Coordinates of all heavy atoms in Angstrom, one line a residue:
D53 N -6.0 26.3 -40.0 CA -7.1 27.1 -40.2 C -6.8 28.6 -40.4 O -7.4 29.2 -41.3 CB -8.1 26.9 -39.0 CG -9.5 27.5 -39.4 OD1 -10.0 27.1 -40.6 OD2 -10.1 28.1 -38.6
S54 N -5.8 29.1 -39.7 CA -5.5 30.5 -40.0 C -4.9 30.6 -41.5 O -5.1 31.7 -42.0 CB -4.5 31.0 -38.9 OG -3.2 30.6 -39.3
I55 N -4.2 29.6 -42.0 CA -3.8 29.8 -43.4 C -5.0 29.8 -44.4 O -5.0 30.5 -45.2 CB -2.8 28.7 -43.6 CG1 -1.5 28.7 -42.9 CG2 -2.3 28.7 -45.1 CD1 -0.8 30.1 -42.8
L56 N -5.9 28.9 -44.1 CA -7.0 28.7 -44.9 C -7.8 30.1 -44.9 O -8.2 30.6 -45.9 CB -7.9 27.5 -44.4 CG -7.4 26.2 -44.5 CD1 -8.4 25.1 -44.0 CD2 -6.9 25.8 -46.0
K57 N -7.8 30.7 -43.7 CA -8.7 31.9 -43.6 C -7.9 33.0 -44.3 O -8.5 34.1 -44.9 CB -8.9 32.3 -42.1 CG -10.1 31.5 -41.5 CD -10.3 31.9 -40.0 CE -11.3 31.0 -39.4 NZ -11.1 30.7 -38.0
S58 N -6.6 33.0 -44.3 CA -5.8 34.1 -44.8 C -5.9 34.3 -46.4 O -5.7 35.3 -46.9 CB -4.3 33.8 -44.5 OG -3.7 33.0 -45.3
G59 N -6.4 33.1 -47.0 CA -6.4 33.2 -48.4 C -5.1 32.9 -49.3 O -5.1 32.8 -50.5
W60 N -4.0 32.8 -48.5 CA -2.7 32.5 -49.1 C -2.3 31.1 -48.8 O -1.8 30.9 -47.8 CB -1.6 33.6 -48.6 CG -0.4 33.3 -49.4 CD1 0.6 32.2 -49.3 CD2 0.2 34.0 -50.7 NE1 1.5 32.3 -50.2 CE2 1.3 33.5 -51.1 CE3 -0.4 35.2 -51.3 CZ2 2.1 33.9 -52.1 CZ3 0.5 35.6 -52.4 CH2 1.6 35.1 -52.8
I61 N -2.6 30.2 -49.7 CA -2.3 28.8 -49.4 C -1.1 28.3 -50.2 O -0.5 27.2 -49.9 CB -3.4 27.8 -49.6 CG1 -3.9 27.9 -51.1 CG2 -4.5 28.2 -48.7 CD1 -5.0 27.0 -51.3
A62 N -0.6 29.0 -51.2 CA 0.7 28.7 -51.9 C 1.8 28.8 -51.0 O 1.7 29.3 -49.8 CB 0.7 29.6 -53.1
P63 N 3.0 28.5 -51.4 CA 4.3 28.6 -50.6 C 4.3 30.1 -50.3 O 4.3 30.9 -51.1 CB 5.4 28.2 -51.5 CG 4.8 27.3 -52.6 CD 3.4 27.8 -52.7
G64 N 4.6 30.4 -49.0 CA 4.7 31.7 -48.6 C 5.5 31.9 -47.3 O 6.4 31.2 -47.1
K65 N 4.7 32.6 -46.4 CA 5.4 33.0 -45.1 C 5.7 31.8 -44.4 O 6.8 31.6 -43.6 CB 4.5 33.9 -44.3 CG 5.0 35.2 -44.0 CD 4.1 36.0 -43.1 CE 3.7 37.3 -43.7 NZ 2.4 37.9 -43.2
Q66 N 4.8 30.8 -44.3 CA 4.9 29.6 -43.4 C 6.0 28.7 -44.0 O 6.9 28.1 -43.2 CB 3.7 28.8 -43.4 CG 2.5 29.4 -42.5 CD 2.8 29.5 -41.2 OE1 3.5 28.7 -40.6 NE2 2.3 30.5 -40.5
T67 N 6.3 28.7 -45.3 CA 7.3 27.9 -45.9 C 8.6 28.5 -45.6 O 9.6 27.8 -45.1 CB 7.1 27.8 -47.4 OG1 5.8 27.2 -47.6 CG2 8.1 26.9 -48.1
F68 N 8.7 29.8 -45.7 CA 9.8 30.6 -45.3 C 10.2 30.4 -43.9 O 11.4 30.2 -43.4 CB 9.7 32.1 -45.7 CG 10.8 32.9 -45.3 CD1 12.0 33.0 -46.2 CD2 10.9 33.7 -44.2 CE1 13.0 33.7 -46.0 CE2 12.0 34.5 -43.9 CZ 13.1 34.5 -44.8
N69 N 9.2 30.5 -42.9 CA 9.5 30.2 -41.5 C 10.0 28.9 -41.3 O 10.8 28.7 -40.3 CB 8.1 30.4 -40.7 CG 7.6 31.8 -40.7 OD1 8.4 32.7 -40.9 ND2 6.5 32.0 -40.0
L70 N 9.4 27.8 -42.0 CA 10.0 26.5 -41.7 C 11.5 26.4 -42.1 O 12.3 25.9 -41.3 CB 9.1 25.5 -42.6 CG 9.6 24.0 -42.5 CD1 9.5 23.5 -41.2 CD2 8.9 23.3 -43.6
E71 N 11.9 27.1 -43.1 CA 13.3 27.1 -43.5 C 14.1 27.8 -42.3 O 15.2 27.4 -42.0 CB 13.4 27.8 -44.9 CG 12.9 26.9 -46.0 CD 12.8 27.5 -47.3 OE1 12.9 28.8 -47.3 OE2 12.6 26.9 -48.3
S72 N 13.5 29.0 -41.9 CA 14.3 29.7 -40.8 C 14.4 28.8 -39.6 O 15.4 28.9 -38.8 CB 13.6 30.9 -40.5 OG 13.2 31.7 -41.5
E73 N 13.3 28.0 -39.3 CA 13.4 27.2 -38.1 C 14.5 26.2 -38.1 O 15.2 25.9 -37.0 CB 12.0 26.5 -37.9 CG 10.8 27.2 -37.4 CD 11.1 27.9 -36.1 OE1 11.8 27.3 -35.2 OE2 10.7 28.9 -35.8
F74 N 14.7 25.7 -39.2 CA 15.8 24.7 -39.4 C 17.1 25.4 -39.3 O 18.1 24.8 -38.7 CB 15.7 23.9 -40.7 CG 14.8 22.6 -40.5 CD1 13.5 22.7 -40.4 CD2 15.6 21.4 -40.3 CE1 12.8 21.5 -40.2 CE2 14.8 20.2 -40.2 CZ 13.4 20.2 -40.1
Q75 N 17.3 26.6 -39.7 CA 18.5 27.4 -39.5 C 18.8 27.6 -38.1 O 19.9 27.6 -37.6 CB 18.5 28.6 -40.5 CG 18.8 28.2 -41.8 CD 18.0 29.1 -42.9 OE1 17.5 28.6 -43.9 NE2 18.2 30.3 -42.7
H76 N 17.7 27.9 -37.3 CA 17.9 28.0 -35.8 C 18.2 26.7 -35.1 O 19.2 26.6 -34.3 CB 16.6 28.4 -35.2 CG 16.2 29.9 -35.3 ND1 17.0 30.8 -34.6 CD2 15.3 30.6 -36.0 CE1 16.5 32.0 -35.0 NE2 15.5 31.9 -35.8
Y77 N 17.5 25.7 -35.6 CA 17.7 24.4 -35.1 C 19.2 23.9 -35.2 O 19.8 23.3 -34.3 CB 16.8 23.4 -35.8 CG 16.8 21.9 -35.4 CD1 16.4 21.5 -34.1 CD2 17.4 21.0 -36.2 CE1 16.4 20.2 -33.7 CE2 17.4 19.5 -35.8 CZ 17.0 19.3 -34.5 OH 17.0 17.9 -34.2
Y78 N 19.8 24.2 -36.3 CA 21.2 23.8 -36.5 C 22.2 25.0 -36.3 O 23.4 24.9 -36.7 CB 21.4 23.2 -38.0 CG 20.8 21.8 -38.1 CD1 20.0 21.4 -39.1 CD2 21.3 20.9 -37.2 CE1 19.5 20.1 -39.3 CE2 20.9 19.5 -37.4 CZ 20.0 19.2 -38.3 OH 19.5 17.9 -38.4
D79 N 21.6 26.1 -35.8 CA 22.4 27.2 -35.5 C 23.3 27.7 -36.7 O 24.4 28.0 -36.5 CB 23.5 26.8 -34.3 CG 23.9 28.0 -33.5 OD1 23.3 29.1 -33.6 OD2 25.0 27.8 -32.8
G80 N 22.6 27.9 -37.9 CA 23.2 28.3 -39.0 C 22.9 27.5 -40.2 O 21.9 26.7 -40.2
G81 N 23.7 27.7 -41.3 CA 23.5 27.0 -42.6 C 22.3 27.5 -43.3 O 21.8 28.6 -43.1
Y82 N 21.8 26.7 -44.3 CA 20.8 27.1 -45.3 C 19.8 25.9 -45.4 O 20.2 24.9 -45.2 CB 21.5 27.5 -46.6 CG 22.6 28.6 -46.5 CD1 23.9 28.0 -46.3 CD2 22.4 29.8 -46.5 CE1 24.9 29.0 -46.1 CE2 23.4 30.7 -46.2 CZ 24.7 30.2 -46.1 OH 25.7 31.2 -45.9
S83 N 18.6 26.3 -45.8 CA 17.6 25.2 -46.0 C 16.6 25.5 -47.1 O 16.4 26.7 -47.4 CB 16.9 25.0 -44.7 OG 16.4 26.2 -44.2
C84 N 16.0 24.5 -47.6 CA 15.1 24.6 -48.7 C 13.9 23.6 -48.4 O 14.2 22.4 -48.4 CB 15.7 24.3 -50.0 SG 14.6 24.5 -51.5
A85 N 12.6 24.1 -48.3 CA 11.6 23.3 -48.0 C 11.0 22.8 -49.3 O 10.9 23.6 -50.3 CB 10.5 24.0 -47.2
V86 N 10.8 21.5 -49.4 CA 10.3 21.0 -50.8 C 9.0 20.0 -50.5 O 8.5 19.9 -49.3 CB 11.4 20.1 -51.5 CG1 12.4 21.1 -52.0 CG2 12.1 19.1 -50.6
S87 N 8.5 19.3 -51.6 CA 7.3 18.6 -51.4 C 7.3 17.3 -50.8 O 6.4 16.8 -50.4 CB 6.7 18.5 -52.8 OG 7.7 18.0 -53.7
S88 N 8.5 16.7 -50.7 CA 8.7 15.4 -50.1 C 10.3 15.1 -49.8 O 11.2 15.9 -50.3 CB 8.3 14.3 -51.0 OG 9.2 14.2 -52.2
G89 N 10.4 14.1 -48.9 CA 11.8 13.6 -48.6 C 12.5 13.1 -49.8 O 13.7 13.4 -50.1
T90 N 11.8 12.5 -50.8 CA 12.4 12.0 -52.0 C 12.9 13.2 -52.8 O 14.0 13.2 -53.4 CB 11.4 11.2 -52.8 OG1 10.8 10.2 -52.1 CG2 12.1 10.5 -54.1

Side-chain angles (χ1 to χ4, degrees):
D53 198 39
S54 81
I55 297 305
L56 298 178
K57 281 181 184 144
S58 79
W60 187 284
I61 59 175
K65 245 188 233 158
Q66 290 293 329
T67 303
F68 182 80
N69 284 351
L70 176 62
E71 291 169 347
S72 314
E73 283 301 327
F74 268 77
Q75 283 147 225
H76 280 293
Y77 179 69
Y78 282 129
D79 205 13
Y82 307 91
S83 53
C84 178
V86 290
S87 51
S88 72
T90 311

